[in-house]
Amino acid sequence: MSNAMPSKPTRPTRPTSRDVARRAGVSQATVSLVLRERWRGRVSPARAAAVREAARELGYRPNLAARTLRLGRSRTALVVVPALTNEFFARMHAGAVRVAAEHDVGVVLYSPPTGIGRAADPFASAGATLDGVLASSMAADALAALSGDGMPLVMLDSEPGDGAAATVNPDIATGMRLVVRHLLDLGHRRFAHVAADVPSWTFGVRARVLADELAAVPGARLVTTERAPIDVTGGLVAAERALAVAHRPTALVCDDDLQAAGACKAARRLGIRIPDDLSVTGFDDLAVATAVEPELTTVSLPADELGAAGMRALLAALAGERGGTTVLPVTLTPRGSTAPPPPAPPAPGRTNAPAP
C-alpha cells in the first residue's frame, strides 16, 4: 500500500490575453484595444469580432484586481437578484447598495430574464469592469459559471459552499420550525403545504423542516403538498387544490406571503373563515402581510440586512479574507390569520345529546 498523499485536483489555468491573441490571430495590443472598447478607427470590425469570439470561447476575463491597483479606480460589484419586482429582493438590493456606497464601491445590477433558476453568464457584457459578485437564489450550474475564473463570489439565501467565497443566509430552518411549532401549540394536526415551485436550496430546507417537525408529533400529518409559482394567483390555485381533499387541513403553511395572500383569497371564495376554520401562515413579512384581512402570521426575514451583510462579506473577500457562512436570525410575527382549529366533528353514529 502506498503512503503517498493523494494529489489535490488542479484548478484550470486561467486564460490570458496572450491566449486570446493567439486564438484570434492578432497581437496582444489589439486584444487590449478591443476589450477596452478603444478599437474603432484602429482595428477592423472583423478583427474586433474575432477577438471577442476568442475571448468568449476561452472564457477570458481581465485580471481585475491587478487592473484596479494599476489604474487606481474604484471597485465595482455585480449584484444578481431574481427580480426587483419582488419586494424581498428589492429590499435586499437596497441593503447591498447602502453598504457599497459607504465603501465607495459601485454596483451593477443584473436580473436574469427567467427569474429564479439558471442564469445566462452576465459577464458577457459587464465582465471588463467587475471585481466581485453578490448573487441570490441561483442554481448551482449558474453558480459554477460565476465562480470559475477566480472572481470573488458571495451567495445569499443559497446552499453553503459550491465554490462561493462566502454565504450569507437568513435562518430559514428556524423560521419554518417557529411556524410549525406555533401551529402545533394552537392544536393543529392536519397541515397542507403551499410550496414554491422553484428548485432552490431555501425552499428545500422549508419542506424538509416542515416534514421533520410534523413527524415528531403523534397525530400530526401533512395532508398534501401543492406546488405553485410565487405569486397571489399561484397561491390561490394551490390552496383551492389543498382545500378540496377529503380530510381538509386546518392549517395552510405557505412558502411566501404572496402565496399566503392567494390562499386567503381561495378560502373566502370557498366560504372558509380565517382563522375560525383555517389558519394560514406566510414567509418573508412583505407589505402584503399587513394589507390582507386578517393580517398574516409570517416569518420576518431581514432582507435589507441580508444584502448589507452579503456586501460586507464580498468586501472582505476582495480584501483577501477567508469567508464562511453567516446565518442571520429570523423572527415569527403572529397576527390574525392563525388561531386554534375548529372542534372536530363528532364521530359517525354518535351524538352530543344527553342520555335519557
Side-chain angles (χ1 to χ4, degrees):
M1 176 178 284
S2 172
N3 292 325
M5 294 292 290
S7 60
K8 292 184 178 180
T10 58
R11 190 185 180 103
T13 302
R14 178 171 176 159
T16 66
S17 61
R18 181 175 298 175
D19 298 323
V20 176
R22 187 181 300 114
R23 173 71 66 94
V26 299
S27 67
Q28 282 183 267
T30 299
V31 171
S32 177
L33 287 171
V34 172
L35 297 184
R36 292 165 59 196
E37 291 297 333
R38 296 181 178 177
W39 60 273
R40 289 173 180 82
R42 305 183 188 184
V43 179
S44 70
R47 284 197 172 185
V51 169
R52 286 192 292 266
E53 180 63 24
R56 279 194 295 270
E57 290 176 353
L58 293 172
Y60 169 76
R61 295 175 190 118
N63 186 330
L64 294 167
R67 186 179 176 192
T68 295
L69 291 173
R70 186 172 67 251
L71 300 180
R73 69 167 176 81
S74 296
R75 293 165 297 177
T76 302
L78 177 73
V79 175
V80 184
V81 297
L84 279 181
T85 52
N86 182 294
E87 179 190 340
F88 178 82
F89 295 114
R91 285 161 43 194
M92 189 201 77
H93 174 257
V97 169
R98 173 171 51 81
V99 171
E102 293 169 356
H103 294 82
D104 193 29
V105 173
V107 171
V108 175
L109 173 65
Y110 179 76
S111 183
T114 54
I116 298 173
R118 183 168 185 169
D121 184 354
F123 297 121
S125 60
T129 59
L130 300 176
D131 299 287
V133 183
L134 182 63
S136 171
S137 302
M138 297 184 67
D141 47 4
L143 203 164
L146 294 175
S147 60
D149 65 352
M151 186 178 295
L153 168 67
V154 172
M155 293 300 299
L156 304 177
D157 199 17
S158 302
E159 185 171 11
D162 289 329
T167 306
V168 182
N169 291 332
D171 194 346
I172 296 297
T174 292
M176 180 56 81
R177 196 169 293 117
L178 290 171
V179 165
V180 180
R181 292 181 182 178
H182 168 71
L183 293 167
L184 288 169
D185 288 346
L186 288 172
H188 292 275
R189 292 299 182 268
R190 295 196 310 278
F191 289 68
H193 185 197
V194 176
D197 190 15
V198 176
S200 171
W201 169 84
T202 183
F203 297 118
V205 170
R206 299 173 207 211
R208 185 165 59 252
V209 172
L210 172 59
D212 291 346
E213 289 295 311
L214 295 183
V217 177
R221 67 190 183 99
L222 186 61
V223 175
T224 183
T225 295
E226 302 293 341
R227 300 195 175 278
I230 306 175
D231 55 39
V232 173
T233 301
L236 185 153
V237 173
E240 287 178 337
R241 293 195 302 265
L243 296 172
V245 299
H247 298 286
R248 196 172 72 198
T250 63
L252 278 183
V253 177
C254 303
D255 272 351
D256 182 270
D257 289 342
L258 294 175
Q259 292 177 321
C264 292
K265 192 172 183 178
R268 284 194 301 273
R269 289 184 176 183
L270 295 170
I272 298 171
R273 299 169 300 166
I274 297 174
D276 305 78
D277 305 320
L278 176 72
S279 287
V280 178
T281 63
F283 225 97
D284 289 352
D285 203 11
L286 306 177
V288 71
T290 54
V292 297
E293 186 61 42
E295 296 183 353
L296 279 175
T297 293
T298 187
V299 176
S300 300
L301 299 184
D304 182 274
E305 177 55 26
L306 181 64
M311 184 57 70
R312 285 192 288 267
L314 181 57
L315 292 174
L318 289 170
E321 298 178 18
R322 294 178 60 87
T325 299
T326 300
V327 180
L328 303 178
V330 304
T331 57
L332 178 71
T333 302
R335 297 193 180 102
S337 68
T338 52
R350 299 190 62 178
T351 177
N352 292 329

